[in-house]
């Protein structure tokens, strides 16, 4: 599809599943105008040279590696399992989970060595195979296409190797994690061949910049506060800004206003310390985009 005679790059996102809503939200917040109807297979953007394909997440790494699409959004777990050649370009800070081996509670399986000789059910055959080989373990891999967590209760396997995020599903099935293979989050990925083509790489760079600025902004808050002038040095040391915080004198000569950004992860801790150091009137706002 062409807009004003311009060629477009293509991105594949999950049609229906855990990453779908987050992907649509991310693309919309990046300023793209497109149809996000459920059950749609394809949509063009009205204001950016990008076409969106809605497909199953298992197909995304291969579509990208084969050049059917130029970009994709998919979990690292799927990329690792499929062992295809794609370039991870932006970590997206959502879709957090871990691939873990979990065993029935109360079983005598407590560490990796206990896995020797057992049957492990999984949809992540390649990742499990690699882990067992690397750790010199010998176990039977029972490859399933889904609902792996019920395998031990049906005596199909002794334990499972599956994705865990909150651990609720495992708990409901009376399973407890024994070993973590790796952590995973969603990534924007690209076909390395597309990055070699000038017109494509230019669009991909513009798109990636938008996505990166959103991910950065979501990780940070804008903080404004008033501080006694004599406490300013102490307060600045607590809130390292992008470069350094902005300090504005107030009408009351013994007070200044401090503006800065604080990372979401350490946000509450910083605010508590700021209050202790004498900060008052602390205002916090979300940041929409952050271009560094
Ligand atoms: P599809 O039908 O597209 O093949 P699926 O059932 O294989 O979907 P989902 O369960 O929707 O996949 O999970 C998609 C991705 O979301 C996983 O590959 C993983 O990266 C991530 N994920 C898995 N579990 C969670 C979770 N509980 N919370 C957040 N992200 C998760
Ligand atoms: Mg899938």
């Amino acid at each position: 599809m062409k807009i004003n005679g311009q060629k477009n790059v293509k991105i594949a996102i999950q049609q229906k599943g855990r990453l779908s809503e987050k992907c649509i939200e991310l693309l919309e917040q990046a300023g793209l105008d497109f149809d996000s109807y459920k059950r749609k297979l394809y949509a063009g953007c009205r204001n950016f040279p990008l076409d969106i394909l809605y497909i199953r997440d298992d197909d995304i790494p291969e579509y990208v590696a084969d050049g059917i699409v130029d970009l994709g959004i998919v979990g690292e777990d799927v990329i690792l399992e499929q062992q295809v050649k794609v370039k991870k370009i932006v970590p997206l800070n959502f879709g957090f989970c871990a691939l873990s081996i979990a065993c029935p509670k109360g079983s005598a399986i407590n560490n990796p060595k206990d896995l020797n000789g057992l049957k492990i059910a999984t949809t992540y055959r390649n990742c499990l195979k690699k882990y067992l080989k690397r750790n010199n373990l010998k176990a039977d891999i029972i490859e399933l296409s889904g609902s792996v967590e019920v395998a031990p209760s049906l005596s199909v396997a002794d334990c499972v190797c599956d994705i865990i995020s909150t651990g609720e599903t495992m708990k409901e099935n009376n399973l407890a994690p024994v070993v973590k293979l790796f952590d995973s989050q969603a990534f924007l990925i690209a076909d390395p061949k597309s990055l070699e083509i000038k017109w494509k790489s230019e669009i991909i760079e513009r798109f990636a910049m938008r996505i990166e600025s959103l991910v950065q902004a979501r990780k940070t808050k804008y903080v404004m506060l008033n501080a006694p002038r004599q406490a300013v040095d102490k307060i600045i040391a607590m809130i390292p800004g992008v470069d350094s915080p902005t300090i504005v004198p107030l009408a009351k000569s013994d007070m200044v206003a401090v503006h800065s950004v604080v990372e979401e992860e350490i946000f509450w801790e910083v605010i508590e310390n700021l209050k202790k150091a004498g900060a008052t009137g602390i205002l916090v706002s979300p940041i929409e985009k952050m271009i560094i």
Side-chain angles (χ1 to χ4, degrees):
M1 185 173 154
K2 291 180 182 184
I3 296 175
N4 301 330
Q6 187 178 15
K7 288 181 282 183
N8 294 354
V9 299
K10 298 187 195 74
I11 186 169
I13 63 172
Q14 192 185 23
Q15 186 188 30
K16 197 166 133 283
R18 286 194 161 103
L19 301 180
S20 313
E21 296 293 323
K22 299 250 184 201
C23 289
I24 302 254
E25 196 185 293
L26 188 74
L27 298 182
E28 283 177 346
Q29 284 180 6
L32 306 184
D33 180 17
F34 61 97
D35 289 332
S36 58
Y37 303 130
K38 299 249 155 67
R39 289 196 290 133
K40 207 169 164 116
L41 297 178
Y42 165 86
C45 288
R46 292 179 196 94
N47 57 355
F48 196 81
L50 184 77
D51 295 335
I52 303 165
L53 237 69
Y54 302 95
I55 58 177
R56 284 200 62 195
D57 73 339
D58 310 60
D59 295 334
I60 294 176
E62 236 170 77
Y63 267 50
V64 173
D66 293 350
I68 297 166
V69 293
D70 307 287
L71 297 166
I73 295 180
V74 70
E76 247 176 322
D77 52 323
V78 182
I79 306 168
L80 286 169
E81 176 59 20
Q82 306 220 343
Q83 304 174 336
V84 287
K85 244 191 156 175
V86 295
K87 188 162 167 53
K88 294 197 277 182
I89 50 178
V90 186
L92 298 175
N93 209 38
F94 63 77
F96 287 106
C97 53
L99 185 66
S100 304
I101 295 177
C103 301
K105 279 185 197 152
S107 68
I109 313 159
N110 299 311
N111 67 59
K113 284 214 163 53
D114 299 333
L115 298 170
N116 267 320
L118 298 186
K119 284 194 248 174
I120 310 175
T122 191
T123 57
Y124 292 82
R125 183 177 193 282
N126 294 328
C127 293
L128 177 58
K129 202 169 154 190
K130 215 167 165 184
Y131 169 81
L132 293 172
K133 191 168 176 208
R134 209 184 315 127
N135 290 280
N136 230 348
L137 297 167
K138 288 216 158 24
D140 282 343
I141 300 175
I142 311 291
E143 194 174 0
L144 301 178
S145 56
S147 304
V148 165
E149 63 281 355
V150 298
S153 58
L154 299 175
S155 303
V156 173
D158 302 295
C159 48
V160 305
C161 173
D162 204 6
I163 286 296
I164 296 184
S165 117
T166 58
E168 276 311 307
T169 314
M170 291 287 170
K171 235 186 244 167
E172 279 166 22
N173 287 283
N174 204 33
L175 297 167
V178 172
V179 56
K180 182 162 83 178
L181 276 56
F182 55 78
D183 286 307
S184 171
Q185 65 171 303
F187 260 85
L188 174 66
I189 58 170
D191 173 7
K193 299 186 293 301
S194 300
L195 299 172
E196 306 277 308
I197 301 168
K198 192 162 175 283
W199 72 267
K200 283 192 178 185
S201 72
E202 278 170 8
I203 297 171
I204 292 171
E205 202 173 299
R206 284 170 60 207
F207 176 70
M209 202 267 277
R210 291 190 186 197
I211 299 297
E212 231 166 343
S213 78
L214 272 173
V215 174
Q216 276 306 325
R218 286 172 174 187
K219 281 191 201 164
T220 42
K221 300 268 180 237
Y222 193 71
V223 177
M224 289 160 277
L225 56 90
N226 295 337
R229 201 176 274 279
Q230 79 274 9
V232 163
D233 287 347
K234 201 169 160 192
I235 283 178
I236 289 177
M238 288 172 185
I239 39 170
V242 178
D243 281 323
S244 73
T246 308
I247 313 250
V248 189
L250 292 180
K252 269 172 130 188
S253 64
D254 57 336
M255 296 289 282
V256 292
V258 180
H259 293 204
S260 191
V261 295
V262 175
E263 276 182 33
E264 177 95 69
E265 243 177 34
I266 52 164
F267 174 72
W268 283 111
E269 202 181 308
V270 171
I271 295 292
E272 283 158 19
N273 291 337
L274 288 172
K275 281 191 78 171
K276 277 188 211 149
T280 54
I282 304 173
L283 295 180
V284 180
S285 7
I287 298 173
E288 198 178 297
K289 313 269 183 324
M290 190 164 158
I291 297 127
I292 302 175

